[in-house]
């Protein structure tokens, strides 16, 4: 449980302020979406892309 609290603190203290600085102020729904994406870490399901071929 301690890891989850630490992760949430990281989201609130670093990710949200950065997003609000780059974008307009986030709505509660947008904050919820960002939190979910941060928790599931979709990059672990993506493979490295290498270009093969022409065109």
């Amino acid at each position: 449980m301690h890891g989850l609290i630490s992760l949430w603190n990281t989201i609130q203290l670093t990710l949200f302020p950065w997003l609000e600085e780059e974008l307009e102020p986030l709505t509660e729904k947008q904050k919820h979406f960002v939190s979910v994406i941060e928790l599931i870490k979709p990059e672990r399901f993506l493979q490295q892309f290498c270009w093969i071929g022409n065109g």
Side-chain angles (χ1 to χ4, degrees):
M1 185 69 166
H2 179 68
L4 186 58
I5 292 171
S6 176
L7 180 60
W8 179 247
N9 286 337
T10 301
I11 291 169
Q12 283 188 315
L13 296 174
T14 53
L15 185 58
F16 285 161
W18 179 80
L19 284 173
E20 287 180 341
E21 194 174 295
E22 293 296 317
L23 307 171
E24 296 175 10
L26 298 175
T27 65
E28 287 303 313
K29 192 175 236 183
Q30 289 169 325
K31 287 180 181 181
H32 184 93
F33 174 76
V34 170
S35 300
V36 170
I37 295 300
E38 183 66 20
L39 287 173
I40 58 175
K41 300 198 180 296
E43 64 273 7
R44 65 189 167 144
F45 299 107
L46 302 174
Q47 297 178 0
Q48 183 177 357
F49 177 77
C50 295
W51 180 255
I52 301 173
N54 297 326

